Amino acid sequence: MNVNDASFEELLNALHDGVYITDGDGKTLKVNQAYERQTGLSGADLIGRSMQELVKEGVLSQSATLRVLHEGRPVSVMQSLSQGKKLLVSATPILDADNRISYVVSTVRDMTELLRMKHERDELQQLKQLRNSTAKLHAGQRDNLLRSPLMADQEVSGRVFSLARQVASSSVKVLLQGETGVGKTLVAQFIHNASPRASEPFLALNCGALPENLIEAELFGYAPGAFTGAGPKGKRGLLELAHHGTLFLDEIGDLPLPVQVKLLKVIEENRFIPVGGLELKEVDVRIISATHHDLKRLVADGRFRADLYYRLNVVPINIPALRERREEILPLLNYYLDRFNVRYERQVQWSLETLDLMCDYTWPGNIRELINIVERLVVTNQTGTIEALDMPEEILNLNPLNTDDSRLPLRKVLENAERSAIRAALRVHKTTRLAAKALGVSQATVVQKMKRWEHSD
C-alpha cells in the first residue's frame, strides 16, 4: 500500500498512537492525526522536511528516526516538546529487497498522559483505603511534622498502629524497633494519645544526643549546686515532669550503663533521687523506648543490661523501613508538599516524572529523609513545578540497594531528552532567556540544568 494512498491514510488516522513515517533519507512522508493531536504540530508543516532540519531548528528535541538511520536497528527515545509534554517514540526500519532502509516508521505515545493515568489510579486507590478506614487514629496529632494522617490507613503501617492501639489502654512497657527515621516518635505519640494518659504530658529524650552526666541530669533532675554549672534552684527532671504521663526514651541503646542502673530502679520502684539530692521522689510514668540497634546483641556484648532489656521489651513493635511499605511514599510526598506549601506560602507542584523517580527511590533515611527533601525542594523551587532533574543526585542515580537496573535507561533518556531540547533551543535562540521562553520554562531552570550538566560531564 502506497503511503499516499487514501485508504492507508484512513487506516493511520484510526490509530490511537501517533505515527510518523520518513523515507530512507529521513524526509517526512506522512504523520497521522493522533501525532498532530499529541504534539500540536501540523502535518502540512512537517511533510517534505528532513528530520535533520527539524532537530536543528528545535522543533523536535531529538530524533529516533535519525538514530535508526545511523544504527540500522529499532530505537526508542524520549522526546520533549516545548509545552512540557514527554513523548515515547519507538522507531523501526523497513528494509527493501537489497536490505537497505526504505522507510522508518515511528509510533509515538504520550508519556505525560500515561503517567497522569497511573497517578490518578494510585490516588483512587488511596481514597478507597481512606474511605474503608474507620479508625480515627490521628485525633489531636495534626501539628506534628513527623505525623501523617495517611500512614495509619496503609496496609503495613496499619498493622503497626493496630498493635499500638491494643497496647495503648494499659501501661505496659513498649519497645519500638526500626531504622532511623521510620517514625518511631510518631508511634510513641500515638500510643500516648490513645491511652488514658492522653491529657497528661508526653515528653521525649534522645539518649544518644547528650553526654552521660547531662542525660542523668535531664532524666532525674538535680538539686541546687549538685555540680559545677548547676542552677542555684536546681532543676526538675523529665521523669518528674512526665508524672502521670508518658516518657519516650529514643535510642535507648545509647543510654550509658550507670544511667541504665538508675532507670531500672525507677521502673522497679517508681521512685528516684535527683542528682546531688537526698529526697526520694515518687513518680507514675509510662515508659516507651525505641532503638535502631539490636539490643540483644548489645546485651551479649555487655553494653546493655539484660534485666533492663527484659523490663523494657514487654511488647516489641517493629516498624518497617519506608522501602518495605512503598505504597505509603506517594501519599507522604503529597501530604508534606501540602504542609510545606502552606508553611512557606508557596504553590509548588510535582511533575509526574518527579513522582515516579521519588516513588522508585529506596529512601535509606526513611520518612525523615523524605520530609527534609520535600522541604528543600519547596523552598528552593523557582518555577512552580518540581521537575525530575531538580531531584538530588541520590534520587537521580539509582540507589545501591535498588538492584532493578531496568529503570536506569529511562532516567538517562529523560536527562538526555532535556539536555538535547535545551541545546537545540540555545542554537536557535542564542540566549538562555529566549531559549527558556521557547521551551516554556523559566530562565533560572535552564541555567540551573546547564550548570548541573557541566559538573557531571
Side-chain angles (χ1 to χ4, degrees), residues 16-20 28 30-46 51 54 58-62 78-89 106-113 438:
H16 179 74
D17 287 345
V19 177
Y20 196 115
T28 305
K30 183 71 68 178
V31 299
N32 69 349
Q33 291 175 355
Y35 182 85
E36 293 178 315
R37 183 178 64 252
Q38 290 171 347
T39 63
L41 300 173
S42 168
D45 296 333
L46 296 171
M51 270 294 179
L54 294 172
V59 177
L60 302 174
S61 63
Q62 61 176 324
M78 189 77 78
Q79 260 182 9
S80 298
L81 300 180
S82 58
Q83 61 267 46
K85 276 192 175 183
K86 307 289 184 187
L87 302 177
L88 180 63
V89 183
S106 299
T107 57
V108 183
R109 181 160 293 181
D110 187 344
M111 290 300 293
T112 306
E113 187 61 29

Side-chain angles (χ1 to χ4, degrees), residues 206-218:
N206 187 324
C207 300
L210 295 172
E212 178 180 329
N213 61 324
L214 290 184
I215 286 182
E216 188 175 10
E218 282 293 311

Side-chain angles (χ1 to χ4, degrees), residues 19 27 66 79 151 154 218 245 253 283 366 384-385 387 435:
V19 177
K27 186 174 73 173
L66 293 180
Q79 260 182 9
M151 286 180 57
Q154 306 300 320
E218 282 293 311
V283 287
N366 294 294
T385 299
E387 300 289 353

Side-chain angles (χ1 to χ4, degrees), residues 192-431:
H192 171 77
N193 287 352
S195 77
R197 299 173 182 262
S199 60
E200 302 295 337
F202 173 87
L203 300 177
L205 175 67
N206 187 324
C207 300
L210 295 172
E212 178 180 329
N213 61 324
L214 290 184
I215 286 182
E216 188 175 10
E218 282 293 311
L219 268 178
F220 304 104
Y222 55 82
F227 51 85
T228 303
K233 296 182 179 179
K235 180 182 177 181
R236 299 167 70 196
L238 293 177
L239 280 165
E240 187 175 353
L241 293 171
H243 187 49
H244 295 310
T246 302
L247 178 62
F248 174 51
L249 299 177
D250 198 6
E251 302 303 349
I252 190 73
D254 295 325
L255 197 66
L257 282 168
V259 183
Q260 291 179 31
V261 175
K262 292 191 69 170
L263 179 62
L264 181 62
K265 289 187 69 67
V266 173
I267 293 172
E268 291 175 339
E269 302 174 6
N270 293 321
R271 55 184 183 174
F272 66 95
I273 299 176
V275 177
L278 299 173
E279 178 187 357
L280 272 172
K281 292 184 178 290
E282 301 280 342
V283 287
D284 172 20
V285 175
R286 178 180 197 165
I287 293 177
I288 299 174
S289 52
T291 182
H292 73 279
H293 293 298
D294 181 349
L295 285 190
K296 282 187 177 180
R297 181 176 294 277
L298 294 184
V299 169
D301 294 342
R303 290 186 288 158
F304 200 86
R305 293 183 62 95
D307 45 6
L308 179 60
Y309 167 71
Y310 290 114
R311 287 283 192 174
L312 296 174
N313 191 33
V314 178
V315 178
I317 297 180
N318 183 61
I319 305 173
L322 190 54
R323 63 182 173 274
E324 297 172 24
R325 38 193 172 112
R326 306 197 69 87
E327 71 281 358
E328 298 180 24
I329 296 174
L330 178 61
L332 284 170
L333 287 170
N334 288 328
Y335 175 76
Y336 288 113
L337 181 73
D338 292 342
R339 290 297 300 267
F340 289 121
N341 270 334
V342 171
R343 169 177 285 195
Y344 296 109
E345 298 181 348
R346 305 296 305 275
Q347 292 183 324
V348 177
Q349 60 183 355
W350 302 116
S351 75
L352 297 177
E353 291 88 351
T354 297
L355 283 178
D356 263 19
L357 286 173
M358 299 184 88
C359 288
D360 285 345
Y361 183 50
T362 54
W363 298 104
N366 294 294
I367 297 175
R368 189 172 300 150
E369 181 187 15
L370 182 146
I371 293 170
N372 290 343
I373 287 179
V374 174
E375 183 173 17
R376 182 199 318 165
L377 292 170
V378 169
V379 171
T380 59
N381 183 265
Q382 298 178 353
T383 65
T385 299
I386 300 172
E387 300 289 353
L389 290 180
D390 295 329
M391 295 295 96
E393 291 299 324
E394 61 267 25
I395 294 180
L396 278 176
N397 299 322
L398 282 178
N399 188 280
L401 294 176
N402 190 345
T403 57
D404 185 0
D405 290 335
S406 65
R407 295 188 178 96
L408 181 59
L410 183 56
R411 295 186 183 184
K412 293 305 294 181
V413 164
L414 174 62
E415 181 177 349
N416 291 337
E418 292 202 351
R419 190 184 298 215
S420 298
I422 289 175
R423 285 176 174 169
L426 286 171
R427 282 196 298 269
V428 174
H429 300 285
K430 309 305 180 186
T431 69

Side-chain angles (χ1 to χ4, degrees), residues 30-256:
K30 183 71 68 178
V31 299
N32 69 349
Q33 291 175 355
Y35 182 85
E36 293 178 315
R37 183 178 64 252
Q38 290 171 347
T39 63
L41 300 173
S42 168
D45 296 333
L46 296 171
I47 292 174
R49 301 187 67 185
S50 70
M51 270 294 179
Q52 294 90 334
E53 182 184 354
L54 294 172
V55 172
K56 185 175 181 180
E57 292 181 6
V59 177
L60 302 174
S61 63
Q62 61 176 324
S63 171
T65 298
L66 293 180
R67 286 187 56 183
V68 168
L69 293 174
H70 181 260
E71 300 174 19
R73 62 178 181 83
V75 170
S76 293
V77 302
M78 189 77 78
Q79 260 182 9
S80 298
L81 300 180
S82 58
Q83 61 267 46
K85 276 192 175 183
K86 307 289 184 187
L87 302 177
L88 180 63
V89 183
S90 299
T92 303
I94 305 297
L95 305 179
D96 61 17
D98 297 323
N99 216 30
R100 291 177 299 190
I101 298 176
S102 55
Y103 299 103
V104 178
V105 178
S106 299
T107 57
V108 183
R109 181 160 293 181
D110 187 344
M111 290 300 293
T112 306
E113 187 61 29
L114 288 176
L115 288 168
R116 183 176 292 112
M117 291 169 61
K118 173 182 180 294
H119 288 290
E120 285 176 356
R121 183 199 65 196
D122 292 345
E123 288 171 7
L124 285 172
Q125 183 63 24
Q126 295 298 334
L127 286 172
K128 182 179 177 182
Q129 290 175 344
L130 286 172
R131 290 192 193 103
N132 291 339
S133 175
T134 57
K136 306 299 182 183
L137 296 175
H138 287 269
Q141 298 185 17
R142 301 198 181 271
D143 292 328
N144 189 325
L145 259 185
L146 284 176
R147 285 181 227 115
S148 161
L150 297 166
M151 286 180 57
D153 295 294
Q154 306 300 320
E155 181 180 355
V156 178
S157 286
R159 293 194 292 267
V160 171
F161 282 98
S162 176
L163 179 56
R165 176 175 286 281
Q166 280 184 268
V167 302
S169 59
S170 68
S171 290
V172 66
K173 305 291 186 299
V174 176
L175 176 62
L176 305 174
Q177 301 171 96
E179 296 177 7
T180 299
V182 292
K184 296 188 287 290
T185 302
L186 161 64
V187 178
Q189 179 82 64
F190 170 76
I191 292 172
H192 171 77
N193 287 352
S195 77
R197 299 173 182 262
S199 60
E200 302 295 337
F202 173 87
L203 300 177
L205 175 67
N206 187 324
C207 300
L210 295 172
E212 178 180 329
N213 61 324
L214 290 184
I215 286 182
E216 188 175 10
E218 282 293 311
L219 268 178
F220 304 104
Y222 55 82
F227 51 85
T228 303
K233 296 182 179 179
K235 180 182 177 181
R236 299 167 70 196
L238 293 177
L239 280 165
E240 187 175 353
L241 293 171
H243 187 49
H244 295 310
T246 302
L247 178 62
F248 174 51
L249 299 177
D250 198 6
E251 302 303 349
I252 190 73
D254 295 325
L255 197 66

